[in-house]
Amino acid sequence: MKHDKAKLQSSLRADRFRNILLSCVLSYVVARLVVTDAGLWHPSLPADATALGEIIAVAGLPAMVLACFGMRTRYRGFTMVCATGCVAVLCLVVLA
Amino acid sequence: MIPLLVMLWVGCLACHAALQPARYRLPDLSARYRIVMGLVRGVAPALALGVALAAGVVVGVVLWCTTFSVAGLIVAACIVAWSMRRH
Amino acid sequence: MRETPMRETLRTRMGWLHAWVGFICGLVLTCICATGTLAVFDTEITRWMQPEIRIPTGTSPTDTALDAAAARVREQQARGVFAFLNLPSARAPALEILHYDGHEFVGDTLDPRTGALIATRATTGGKFFYNFHYSLRGGGTVGVGIVNILALGLLVAVGAGLIIHLRALVPDIVMLRLSGSRIRAWLDAHLLAGVLFMPFTVMMAYTGILVHADTILPAHLHVMTAPRARATAPPAQPAPLRPVMTHMRPLLDTARARLGGRDCGFILFLPDRLSISASDASGPFLTRDHVDFSLPDGRLLGTTVTRRPIAMTMHLIHGLHYARFAPPSLRWLYFMSGLGATAGIASGLVLFLMKRRRHSGHRAEFRVAEGLTIATIVGLPVGILSFLWANRMLPTGLPGREGAEITVFFFTWAACAMHGTLWSGIARPMRGWREQLVMVAVLGCGLPVLDATCTMAALRASPVLHAGIDGMAALFGLIALYSLVRLYREPVG
């Protein structure tokens, strides 16, 4: 029984570790897309537009990591962040 | 200005602790005192913000937040000192 | 009997995230926060470390001094040093001719009354802590990127902590139960520091990341940018340096008027023009508004003032983080808040180890973690105090003196890390804690004595400055002494 408990704990740790890595990677990609989109949104003032993108992305990055990692019910967190990423990619395609 | 802000926050947080006597192991208060303390707890932060904003919006908000932190430490230390004396 | 699976709730997941991200990032974040806290008074620390400068605060530079300084700058530029002139301020009363040496801004100090060079001991001063804070000293772009990633880790840990503690956040806001169990007492201390200083911590982490956001969030995705055309033209010859044939005073007066009455901060001497920038201390917005004058005649070329909303927001973000606008009282509040934030993270490190000691204390990883924690919480103050002691003890004319002081800092810190890890490795970590606390107590309480012995004249010239720095060192020494006494009640091991 002790062995089972240790195995459960070990698999839980591995699951959490995988989840946090995935959350970080996904959130970072979305944040980068937001910054790139912002830079393309206002070509006449790219520095200001990029700065605005950075303001939003830096605020959103930790929130996305927490949402991805914390909202496990039906993978709501991942779904939300992936949806945000898809919107960012669409904007990139439209603006580029 | 900073001592005034700290005093206002100390008043607010001390009343906050006093309104939860079981939690903070403080003596119970009568209903009249509870009303007054509730008022102080509600009004003091707003008053502190008004005083702080006299120094400008940005500086005022920074002063308001940092004096809150310092006042919290003072109140926590006072509660600990009071508890140690009592027990 | 079937084993029930461990209940995975939001709080348990966030608890795990907060603990592990907090500990791993916290080991370096404690150092970043501590050096950032010291950087609030970087100018004052530099003045303390150069006791040869005894200029009363509020001394205005004379016309002779300004013109002499301008000539010196051009002289250095002719020798290939990209120098600029830093004007006196309330915090730093001397004229400074500075250049960037790859790590800090260093250079000559001039008397603002005469323009004469003041022979000061070579030191990086408080700027060393500033440099360590934002780039881990010598880390360059990689160092800045690492600091930014750790700051993001801090925000994640704070967010996770907020989710765990949300229900008791307001009711327990001033809770501190020292009479209960040790873990309870440390948890309360961690929560108290964490919650009370959370607005400051989040503000500094967020603004700090934004200051160098381009290192981790560069603007362009490489796949989307067209390859740059290769430069075919040969590199241009550096433009010839035009002499400064005009007096500085009228230019400064014009610049002040054009900048809306704001004081002037520094003067850039470009090959064909002068650029006088507004002082960083003139307001919470850290603008680089400047007035340009042509050379050699000093004719006004124009004024550059930024008023675009997003640019102003970034200036505010920079201003809030650097706090150069802060008067002494607000600066002390920044300092205390920085100490509070550092204490919040450091107490979290101790709590992490305490919670896991029973089950994992025998493991090598735990002992290494404890050794690193000792190095961070106690070893770093030993290193910082050694840096200040080295400033007083090393001969003033020693070649490479700046580097020697920094070597003392890193050598002492590394020795403390090894010392802590060794004692922790043989399952006697308390010895490591105690012995290093003794070092902090001796160095901290001894600094005022050393300062009075070595630099009495400077102490008399700037008593408030020396009282502040010596006083803080002594206070930390006394805190270390108190901690030592408390630890002696613990069993050795």
Side-chain angles (χ1 to χ4, degrees), chain B residues 1-5 47-67, chain C residues 281-285 316 320 325-327 329-331 333:
Chain B
M1 185 194 282
I2 288 174
L4 176 62
L5 289 174
L47 206 59
L49 184 62
V51 168
L53 288 176
V57 174
V58 173
V59 175
V61 171
V62 173
L63 277 172
W64 192 65
C65 291
T66 48
T67 48
Chain C
S282 55
F285 295 85
L316 177 63
L320 282 174
F325 68 97
S329 50
L330 183 56
R331 195 166 289 279
L333 284 175

PDB file of all heavy atoms in Angstrom, chain B residues 1-5 47-67, chain C residues 281-285 316 320 325-327 329-331 333:
ATOM      1  N   MET B   1       3.605  64.412   6.146  1.00  0.00           N
ATOM      2  CA  MET B   1       2.487  63.668   5.540  1.00  0.00           C
ATOM      3  C   MET B   1       2.605  62.173   5.811  1.00  0.00           C
ATOM      4  O   MET B   1       1.609  61.504   6.088  1.00  0.00           O
ATOM      5  CB  MET B   1       2.484  63.900   4.017  1.00  0.00           C
ATOM      6  CG  MET B   1       1.276  63.263   3.353  1.00  0.00           C
ATOM      7  SD  MET B   1       1.418  63.160   1.593  1.00  0.00           S
ATOM      8  CE  MET B   1       1.037  64.817   1.114  1.00  0.00           C
ATOM      9  N   ILE B   2       3.824  61.639   5.720  1.00  0.00           N
ATOM     10  CA  ILE B   2       3.983  60.186   5.894  1.00  0.00           C
ATOM     11  C   ILE B   2       3.554  59.738   7.293  1.00  0.00           C
ATOM     12  O   ILE B   2       2.820  58.739   7.411  1.00  0.00           O
ATOM     13  CB  ILE B   2       5.424  59.751   5.529  1.00  0.00           C
ATOM     14  CG1 ILE B   2       5.598  59.839   4.006  1.00  0.00           C
ATOM     15  CG2 ILE B   2       5.707  58.350   6.018  1.00  0.00           C
ATOM     16  CD1 ILE B   2       6.989  59.585   3.498  1.00  0.00           C
ATOM     17  N   PRO B   3       3.976  60.415   8.380  1.00  0.00           N
ATOM     18  CA  PRO B   3       3.483  59.995   9.706  1.00  0.00           C
ATOM     19  C   PRO B   3       1.958  59.997   9.793  1.00  0.00           C
ATOM     20  O   PRO B   3       1.369  59.089  10.388  1.00  0.00           O
ATOM     21  CB  PRO B   3       4.090  61.040  10.653  1.00  0.00           C
ATOM     22  CG  PRO B   3       5.276  61.545   9.949  1.00  0.00           C
ATOM     23  CD  PRO B   3       4.940  61.523   8.507  1.00  0.00           C
ATOM     24  N   LEU B   4       1.302  60.993   9.187  1.00  0.00           N
ATOM     25  CA  LEU B   4      -0.166  61.042   9.204  1.00  0.00           C
ATOM     26  C   LEU B   4      -0.759  59.853   8.477  1.00  0.00           C
ATOM     27  O   LEU B   4      -1.694  59.208   8.962  1.00  0.00           O
ATOM     28  CB  LEU B   4      -0.641  62.364   8.569  1.00  0.00           C
ATOM     29  CG  LEU B   4      -2.154  62.537   8.410  1.00  0.00           C
ATOM     30  CD1 LEU B   4      -2.829  62.523   9.782  1.00  0.00           C
ATOM     31  CD2 LEU B   4      -2.484  63.846   7.690  1.00  0.00           C
ATOM     32  N   LEU B   5      -0.190  59.531   7.316  1.00  0.00           N
ATOM     33  CA  LEU B   5      -0.688  58.380   6.546  1.00  0.00           C
ATOM     34  C   LEU B   5      -0.513  57.092   7.347  1.00  0.00           C
ATOM     35  O   LEU B   5      -1.411  56.254   7.395  1.00  0.00           O
ATOM     36  CB  LEU B   5       0.059  58.272   5.213  1.00  0.00           C
ATOM     37  CG  LEU B   5      -0.254  59.351   4.179  1.00  0.00           C
ATOM     38  CD1 LEU B   5       0.667  59.211   2.971  1.00  0.00           C
ATOM     39  CD2 LEU B   5      -1.691  59.268   3.725  1.00  0.00           C
ATOM     40  N   LEU B  47      -9.612  58.442   3.768  1.00  0.00           N
ATOM     41  CA  LEU B  47      -9.007  59.692   4.245  1.00  0.00           C
ATOM     42  C   LEU B  47      -7.514  59.720   3.907  1.00  0.00           C
ATOM     43  O   LEU B  47      -6.976  60.736   3.443  1.00  0.00           O
ATOM     44  CB  LEU B  47      -9.193  59.763   5.759  1.00  0.00           C
ATOM     45  CG  LEU B  47      -9.222  61.143   6.395  1.00  0.00           C
ATOM     46  CD1 LEU B  47     -10.338  61.978   5.805  1.00  0.00           C
ATOM     47  CD2 LEU B  47      -9.420  61.017   7.910  1.00  0.00           C
ATOM     48  N   ALA B  48      -6.868  58.574   4.114  1.00  0.00           N
ATOM     49  CA  ALA B  48      -5.429  58.461   3.814  1.00  0.00           C
ATOM     50  C   ALA B  48      -5.172  58.699   2.333  1.00  0.00           C
ATOM     51  O   ALA B  48      -4.212  59.370   1.956  1.00  0.00           O
ATOM     52  CB  ALA B  48      -4.903  57.090   4.230  1.00  0.00           C
ATOM     53  N   LEU B  49      -6.040  58.158   1.496  1.00  0.00           N
ATOM     54  CA  LEU B  49      -5.872  58.354   0.051  1.00  0.00           C
ATOM     55  C   LEU B  49      -6.028  59.826  -0.307  1.00  0.00           C
ATOM     56  O   LEU B  49      -5.250  60.368  -1.102  1.00  0.00           O
ATOM     57  CB  LEU B  49      -6.881  57.497  -0.716  1.00  0.00           C
ATOM     58  CG  LEU B  49      -6.753  57.516  -2.243  1.00  0.00           C
ATOM     59  CD1 LEU B  49      -5.396  56.970  -2.700  1.00  0.00           C
ATOM     60  CD2 LEU B  49      -7.866  56.687  -2.900  1.00  0.00           C
ATOM     61  N   GLY B  50      -7.019  60.458   0.297  1.00  0.00           N
ATOM     62  CA  GLY B  50      -7.223  61.886   0.044  1.00  0.00           C
ATOM     63  C   GLY B  50      -6.016  62.709   0.442  1.00  0.00           C
ATOM     64  O   GLY B  50      -5.581  63.601  -0.305  1.00  0.00           O
ATOM     65  N   VAL B  51      -5.451  62.391   1.580  1.00  0.00           N
ATOM     66  CA  VAL B  51      -4.259  63.115   2.057  1.00  0.00           C
ATOM     67  C   VAL B  51      -3.075  62.847   1.130  1.00  0.00           C
ATOM     68  O   VAL B  51      -2.339  63.754   0.746  1.00  0.00           O
ATOM     69  CB  VAL B  51      -3.914  62.681   3.507  1.00  0.00           C
ATOM     70  CG1 VAL B  51      -2.542  63.168   3.917  1.00  0.00           C
ATOM     71  CG2 VAL B  51      -4.985  63.198   4.473  1.00  0.00           C
ATOM     72  N   ALA B  52      -2.912  61.578   0.734  1.00  0.00           N
ATOM     73  CA  ALA B  52      -1.757  61.194  -0.098  1.00  0.00           C
ATOM     74  C   ALA B  52      -1.818  61.856  -1.465  1.00  0.00           C
ATOM     75  O   ALA B  52      -0.790  62.260  -2.013  1.00  0.00           O
ATOM     76  CB  ALA B  52      -1.703  59.675  -0.242  1.00  0.00           C
ATOM     77  N   LEU B  53      -3.037  61.978  -2.021  1.00  0.00           N
ATOM     78  CA  LEU B  53      -3.160  62.531  -3.373  1.00  0.00           C
ATOM     79  C   LEU B  53      -2.783  64.007  -3.428  1.00  0.00           C
ATOM     80  O   LEU B  53      -2.575  64.553  -4.520  1.00  0.00           O
ATOM     81  CB  LEU B  53      -4.585  62.328  -3.902  1.00  0.00           C
ATOM     82  CG  LEU B  53      -4.943  60.884  -4.258  1.00  0.00           C
ATOM     83  CD1 LEU B  53      -6.402  60.761  -4.669  1.00  0.00           C
ATOM     84  CD2 LEU B  53      -4.053  60.343  -5.373  1.00  0.00           C
ATOM     85  N   ALA B  54      -2.652  64.638  -2.276  1.00  0.00           N
ATOM     86  CA  ALA B  54      -2.192  66.037  -2.247  1.00  0.00           C
ATOM     87  C   ALA B  54      -0.760  66.155  -2.784  1.00  0.00           C
ATOM     88  O   ALA B  54      -0.354  67.215  -3.253  1.00  0.00           O
ATOM     89  CB  ALA B  54      -2.256  66.577  -0.823  1.00  0.00           C
ATOM     90  N   ALA B  55      -0.021  65.042  -2.746  1.00  0.00           N
ATOM     91  CA  ALA B  55       1.364  65.043  -3.250  1.00  0.00           C
ATOM     92  C   ALA B  55       1.431  64.710  -4.741  1.00  0.00           C
ATOM     93  O   ALA B  55       2.514  64.575  -5.297  1.00  0.00           O
ATOM     94  CB  ALA B  55       2.190  64.020  -2.468  1.00  0.00           C
ATOM     95  N   GLY B  56       0.273  64.583  -5.385  1.00  0.00           N
ATOM     96  CA  GLY B  56       0.258  64.176  -6.795  1.00  0.00           C
ATOM     97  C   GLY B  56      -0.303  62.776  -6.906  1.00  0.00           C
ATOM     98  O   GLY B  56      -0.255  62.008  -5.954  1.00  0.00           O
ATOM     99  N   VAL B  57      -0.837  62.441  -8.100  1.00  0.00           N
ATOM    100  CA  VAL B  57      -1.526  61.156  -8.257  1.00  0.00           C
ATOM    101  C   VAL B  57      -0.541  60.005  -8.095  1.00  0.00           C
ATOM    102  O   VAL B  57      -0.762  59.086  -7.296  1.00  0.00           O
ATOM    103  CB  VAL B  57      -2.229  61.076  -9.634  1.00  0.00           C
ATOM    104  CG1 VAL B  57      -2.817  59.693  -9.841  1.00  0.00           C
ATOM    105  CG2 VAL B  57      -3.320  62.131  -9.742  1.00  0.00           C
ATOM    106  N   VAL B  58       0.547  60.048  -8.858  1.00  0.00           N
ATOM    107  CA  VAL B  58       1.490  58.917  -8.862  1.00  0.00           C
ATOM    108  C   VAL B  58       2.164  58.781  -7.493  1.00  0.00           C
ATOM    109  O   VAL B  58       2.136  57.701  -6.885  1.00  0.00           O
ATOM    110  CB  VAL B  58       2.552  59.117  -9.968  1.00  0.00           C
ATOM    111  CG1 VAL B  58       3.630  58.055  -9.869  1.00  0.00           C
ATOM    112  CG2 VAL B  58       1.898  59.089 -11.339  1.00  0.00           C
ATOM    113  N   VAL B  59       2.739  59.883  -7.027  1.00  0.00           N
ATOM    114  CA  VAL B  59       3.427  59.845  -5.723  1.00  0.00           C
ATOM    115  C   VAL B  59       2.427  59.498  -4.631  1.00  0.00           C
ATOM    116  O   VAL B  59       2.733  58.735  -3.706  1.00  0.00           O
ATOM    117  CB  VAL B  59       4.115  61.199  -5.444  1.00  0.00           C
ATOM    118  CG1 VAL B  59       4.720  61.225  -4.055  1.00  0.00           C
ATOM    119  CG2 VAL B  59       5.189  61.474  -6.487  1.00  0.00           C
ATOM    120  N   GLY B  60       1.218  60.027  -4.733  1.00  0.00           N
ATOM    121  CA  GLY B  60       0.185  59.775  -3.732  1.00  0.00           C
ATOM    122  C   GLY B  60      -0.173  58.307  -3.615  1.00  0.00           C
ATOM    123  O   GLY B  60      -0.246  57.752  -2.513  1.00  0.00           O
ATOM    124  N   VAL B  61      -0.380  57.653  -4.755  1.00  0.00           N
ATOM    125  CA  VAL B  61      -0.755  56.228  -4.720  1.00  0.00           C
ATOM    126  C   VAL B  61       0.411  55.400  -4.161  1.00  0.00           C
ATOM    127  O   VAL B  61       0.206  54.478  -3.369  1.00  0.00           O
ATOM    128  CB  VAL B  61      -1.171  55.744  -6.124  1.00  0.00           C
ATOM    129  CG1 VAL B  61      -1.344  54.243  -6.160  1.00  0.00           C
ATOM    130  CG2 VAL B  61      -2.467  56.428  -6.555  1.00  0.00           C
ATOM    131  N   VAL B  62       1.631  55.743  -4.568  1.00  0.00           N
ATOM    132  CA  VAL B  62       2.805  55.013  -4.057  1.00  0.00           C
ATOM    133  C   VAL B  62       2.910  55.195  -2.541  1.00  0.00           C
ATOM    134  O   VAL B  62       3.118  54.227  -1.804  1.00  0.00           O
ATOM    135  CB  VAL B  62       4.107  55.497  -4.749  1.00  0.00           C
ATOM    136  CG1 VAL B  62       5.332  54.868  -4.111  1.00  0.00           C
ATOM    137  CG2 VAL B  62       4.076  55.161  -6.234  1.00  0.00           C
ATOM    138  N   LEU B  63       2.732  56.429  -2.073  1.00  0.00           N
ATOM    139  CA  LEU B  63       2.771  56.696  -0.624  1.00  0.00           C
ATOM    140  C   LEU B  63       1.678  55.913   0.095  1.00  0.00           C
ATOM    141  O   LEU B  63       1.915  55.321   1.157  1.00  0.00           O
ATOM    142  CB  LEU B  63       2.555  58.195  -0.368  1.00  0.00           C
ATOM    143  CG  LEU B  63       3.762  59.109  -0.491  1.00  0.00           C
ATOM    144  CD1 LEU B  63       3.330  60.564  -0.393  1.00  0.00           C
ATOM    145  CD2 LEU B  63       4.785  58.821   0.600  1.00  0.00           C
ATOM    146  N   TRP B  64       0.472  55.895  -0.475  1.00  0.00           N
ATOM    147  CA  TRP B  64      -0.663  55.211   0.140  1.00  0.00           C
ATOM    148  C   TRP B  64      -0.375  53.725   0.325  1.00  0.00           C
ATOM    149  O   TRP B  64      -0.608  53.163   1.397  1.00  0.00           O
ATOM    150  CB  TRP B  64      -1.888  55.430  -0.747  1.00  0.00           C
ATOM    151  CG  TRP B  64      -3.201  55.044  -0.165  1.00  0.00           C
ATOM    152  CD1 TRP B  64      -3.830  55.602   0.906  1.00  0.00           C
ATOM    153  CD2 TRP B  64      -4.084  54.034  -0.676  1.00  0.00           C
ATOM    154  NE1 TRP B  64      -5.045  55.000   1.109  1.00  0.00           N
ATOM    155  CE2 TRP B  64      -5.243  54.033   0.151  1.00  0.00           C
ATOM    156  CE3 TRP B  64      -4.041  53.149  -1.741  1.00  0.00           C
ATOM    157  CZ2 TRP B  64      -6.318  53.178  -0.058  1.00  0.00           C
ATOM    158  CZ3 TRP B  64      -5.111  52.292  -1.947  1.00  0.00           C
ATOM    159  CH2 TRP B  64      -6.231  52.303  -1.108  1.00  0.00           C
ATOM    160  N   CYS B  65       0.160  53.107  -0.729  1.00  0.00           N
ATOM    161  CA  CYS B  65       0.434  51.661  -0.672  1.00  0.00           C
ATOM    162  C   CYS B  65       1.591  51.348   0.278  1.00  0.00           C
ATOM    163  O   CYS B  65       1.513  50.396   1.062  1.00  0.00           O
ATOM    164  CB  CYS B  65       0.755  51.119  -2.060  1.00  0.00           C
ATOM    165  SG  CYS B  65      -0.662  51.128  -3.173  1.00  0.00           S
ATOM    166  N   THR B  66       2.652  52.127   0.218  1.00  0.00           N
ATOM    167  CA  THR B  66       3.825  51.802   1.042  1.00  0.00           C
ATOM    168  C   THR B  66       3.554  52.082   2.524  1.00  0.00           C
ATOM    169  O   THR B  66       4.018  51.322   3.383  1.00  0.00           O
ATOM    170  CB  THR B  66       5.067  52.567   0.564  1.00  0.00           C
ATOM    171  OG1 THR B  66       4.735  53.941   0.378  1.00  0.00           O
ATOM    172  CG2 THR B  66       5.589  52.021  -0.760  1.00  0.00           C
ATOM    173  N   THR B  67       2.804  53.136   2.822  1.00  0.00           N
ATOM    174  CA  THR B  67       2.486  53.399   4.236  1.00  0.00           C
ATOM    175  C   THR B  67       1.537  52.339   4.773  1.00  0.00           C
ATOM    176  O   THR B  67       1.600  52.005   5.973  1.00  0.00           O
ATOM    177  CB  THR B  67       1.880  54.800   4.440  1.00  0.00           C
ATOM    178  OG1 THR B  67       0.832  55.010   3.487  1.00  0.00           O
ATOM    179  CG2 THR B  67       2.933  55.880   4.276  1.00  0.00           C
TER     180      THR B  67
ATOM    181  N   ALA C 281      15.258  63.093 -11.702  1.00  0.00           N
ATOM    182  CA  ALA C 281      14.607  63.391 -10.421  1.00  0.00           C
ATOM    183  C   ALA C 281      13.493  64.421 -10.547  1.00  0.00           C
ATOM    184  O   ALA C 281      12.857  64.760  -9.553  1.00  0.00           O
ATOM    185  CB  ALA C 281      15.654  63.898  -9.429  1.00  0.00           C
ATOM    186  N   SER C 282      13.245  64.897 -11.783  1.00  0.00           N
ATOM    187  CA  SER C 282      12.289  66.000 -11.926  1.00  0.00           C
ATOM    188  C   SER C 282      10.839  65.551 -11.853  1.00  0.00           C
ATOM    189  O   SER C 282       9.942  66.380 -11.773  1.00  0.00           O
ATOM    190  CB  SER C 282      12.542  66.751 -13.236  1.00  0.00           C
ATOM    191  OG  SER C 282      12.511  65.845 -14.325  1.00  0.00           O
ATOM    192  N   GLY C 283      10.578  64.248 -11.874  1.00  0.00           N
ATOM    193  CA  GLY C 283       9.199  63.786 -11.760  1.00  0.00           C
ATOM    194  C   GLY C 283       9.102  62.284 -11.893  1.00  0.00           C
ATOM    195  O   GLY C 283      10.091  61.618 -12.213  1.00  0.00           O
ATOM    196  N   PRO C 284       7.923  61.717 -11.650  1.00  0.00           N
ATOM    197  CA  PRO C 284       7.780  60.263 -11.723  1.00  0.00           C
ATOM    198  C   PRO C 284       7.891  59.692 -13.143  1.00  0.00           C
ATOM    199  O   PRO C 284       8.034  58.482 -13.305  1.00  0.00           O
ATOM    200  CB  PRO C 284       6.389  60.001 -11.141  1.00  0.00           C
ATOM    201  CG  PRO C 284       5.657  61.280 -11.282  1.00  0.00           C
ATOM    202  CD  PRO C 284       6.670  62.365 -11.242  1.00  0.00           C
ATOM    203  N   PHE C 285       7.805  60.563 -14.167  1.00  0.00           N
ATOM    204  CA  PHE C 285       7.937  60.086 -15.541  1.00  0.00           C
ATOM    205  C   PHE C 285       9.410  60.179 -15.939  1.00  0.00           C
ATOM    206  O   PHE C 285       9.960  61.276 -16.009  1.00  0.00           O
ATOM    207  CB  PHE C 285       7.082  60.927 -16.495  1.00  0.00           C
ATOM    208  CG  PHE C 285       5.604  60.786 -16.237  1.00  0.00           C
ATOM    209  CD1 PHE C 285       4.969  61.555 -15.283  1.00  0.00           C
ATOM    210  CD2 PHE C 285       4.846  59.865 -16.954  1.00  0.00           C
ATOM    211  CE1 PHE C 285       3.609  61.419 -15.035  1.00  0.00           C
ATOM    212  CE2 PHE C 285       3.484  59.724 -16.726  1.00  0.00           C
ATOM    213  CZ  PHE C 285       2.866  60.501 -15.757  1.00  0.00           C
ATOM    214  N   LEU C 316       6.449  56.343 -17.221  1.00  0.00           N
ATOM    215  CA  LEU C 316       5.941  56.185 -15.853  1.00  0.00           C
ATOM    216  C   LEU C 316       6.386  54.845 -15.279  1.00  0.00           C
ATOM    217  O   LEU C 316       6.804  54.757 -14.123  1.00  0.00           O
ATOM    218  CB  LEU C 316       4.420  56.289 -15.833  1.00  0.00           C
ATOM    219  CG  LEU C 316       3.758  56.081 -14.475  1.00  0.00           C
ATOM    220  CD1 LEU C 316       4.178  57.152 -13.489  1.00  0.00           C
ATOM    221  CD2 LEU C 316       2.236  56.059 -14.611  1.00  0.00           C
ATOM    222  N   LEU C 320       8.582  54.603 -11.977  1.00  0.00           N
ATOM    223  CA  LEU C 320       8.149  53.894 -10.764  1.00  0.00           C
ATOM    224  C   LEU C 320       9.202  52.881 -10.332  1.00  0.00           C
ATOM    225  O   LEU C 320       9.413  52.672  -9.150  1.00  0.00           O
ATOM    226  CB  LEU C 320       6.821  53.171 -11.019  1.00  0.00           C
ATOM    227  CG  LEU C 320       5.575  54.038 -11.011  1.00  0.00           C
ATOM    228  CD1 LEU C 320       4.359  53.227 -11.430  1.00  0.00           C
ATOM    229  CD2 LEU C 320       5.332  54.660  -9.638  1.00  0.00           C
ATOM    230  N   PHE C 325      12.760  59.848  -8.836  1.00  0.00           N
ATOM    231  CA  PHE C 325      12.012  61.050  -8.488  1.00  0.00           C
ATOM    232  C   PHE C 325      11.775  61.161  -6.996  1.00  0.00           C
ATOM    233  O   PHE C 325      11.345  62.192  -6.498  1.00  0.00           O
ATOM    234  CB  PHE C 325      10.650  61.014  -9.204  1.00  0.00           C
ATOM    235  CG  PHE C 325       9.731  59.933  -8.674  1.00  0.00           C
ATOM    236  CD1 PHE C 325       8.769  60.221  -7.731  1.00  0.00           C
ATOM    237  CD2 PHE C 325       9.863  58.627  -9.105  1.00  0.00           C
ATOM    238  CE1 PHE C 325       7.931  59.229  -7.237  1.00  0.00           C
ATOM    239  CE2 PHE C 325       9.038  57.626  -8.619  1.00  0.00           C
ATOM    240  CZ  PHE C 325       8.069  57.931  -7.681  1.00  0.00           C
ATOM    241  N   ALA C 326      12.013  60.069  -6.267  1.00  0.00           N
ATOM    242  CA  ALA C 326      11.577  59.996  -4.869  1.00  0.00           C
ATOM    243  C   ALA C 326      12.405  60.904  -3.970  1.00  0.00           C
ATOM    244  O   ALA C 326      13.631  60.832  -3.952  1.00  0.00           O
ATOM    245  CB  ALA C 326      11.671  58.554  -4.370  1.00  0.00           C
ATOM    246  N   PRO C 327      11.728  61.738  -3.166  1.00  0.00           N
ATOM    247  CA  PRO C 327      12.431  62.501  -2.142  1.00  0.00           C
ATOM    248  C   PRO C 327      12.883  61.548  -1.038  1.00  0.00           C
ATOM    249  O   PRO C 327      12.454  60.389  -1.022  1.00  0.00           O
ATOM    250  CB  PRO C 327      11.360  63.482  -1.631  1.00  0.00           C
ATOM    251  CG  PRO C 327      10.071  62.814  -1.939  1.00  0.00           C
ATOM    252  CD  PRO C 327      10.277  61.972  -3.154  1.00  0.00           C
ATOM    253  N   SER C 329      12.138  60.863   2.045  1.00  0.00           N
ATOM    254  CA  SER C 329      11.140  60.115   2.823  1.00  0.00           C
ATOM    255  C   SER C 329      10.538  58.977   2.016  1.00  0.00           C
ATOM    256  O   SER C 329      10.415  57.838   2.498  1.00  0.00           O
ATOM    257  CB  SER C 329      10.036  61.056   3.306  1.00  0.00           C
ATOM    258  OG  SER C 329       9.558  61.813   2.218  1.00  0.00           O
ATOM    259  N   LEU C 330      10.181  59.245   0.758  1.00  0.00           N
ATOM    260  CA  LEU C 330       9.615  58.205  -0.099  1.00  0.00           C
ATOM    261  C   LEU C 330      10.672  57.146  -0.445  1.00  0.00           C
ATOM    262  O   LEU C 330      10.369  55.954  -0.562  1.00  0.00           O
ATOM    263  CB  LEU C 330       9.034  58.817  -1.380  1.00  0.00           C
ATOM    264  CG  LEU C 330       8.339  57.860  -2.349  1.00  0.00           C
ATOM    265  CD1 LEU C 330       7.222  57.089  -1.665  1.00  0.00           C
ATOM    266  CD2 LEU C 330       7.765  58.630  -3.546  1.00  0.00           C
ATOM    267  N   ARG C 331      11.915  57.599  -0.571  1.00  0.00           N
ATOM    268  CA  ARG C 331      13.013  56.675  -0.853  1.00  0.00           C
ATOM    269  C   ARG C 331      13.163  55.669   0.294  1.00  0.00           C
ATOM    270  O   ARG C 331      13.374  54.477   0.064  1.00  0.00           O
ATOM    271  CB  ARG C 331      14.298  57.480  -1.057  1.00  0.00           C
ATOM    272  CG  ARG C 331      15.444  56.724  -1.702  1.00  0.00           C
ATOM    273  CD  ARG C 331      16.520  57.702  -2.158  1.00  0.00           C
ATOM    274  NE  ARG C 331      16.064  58.465  -3.300  1.00  0.00           N
ATOM    275  CZ  ARG C 331      16.091  58.019  -4.553  1.00  0.00           C
ATOM    276  NH1 ARG C 331      16.568  56.829  -4.818  1.00  0.00           N
ATOM    277  NH2 ARG C 331      15.652  58.752  -5.535  1.00  0.00           N
ATOM    278  N   LEU C 333      10.750  54.740   2.225  1.00  0.00           N
ATOM    279  CA  LEU C 333       9.601  53.831   2.117  1.00  0.00           C
ATOM    280  C   LEU C 333       9.864  52.761   1.073  1.00  0.00           C
ATOM    281  O   LEU C 333       9.521  51.593   1.268  1.00  0.00           O
ATOM    282  CB  LEU C 333       8.324  54.606   1.774  1.00  0.00           C
ATOM    283  CG  LEU C 333       7.687  55.378   2.916  1.00  0.00           C
ATOM    284  CD1 LEU C 333       6.508  56.200   2.416  1.00  0.00           C
ATOM    285  CD2 LEU C 333       7.212  54.450   4.024  1.00  0.00           C
TER     286      LEU C 333
END
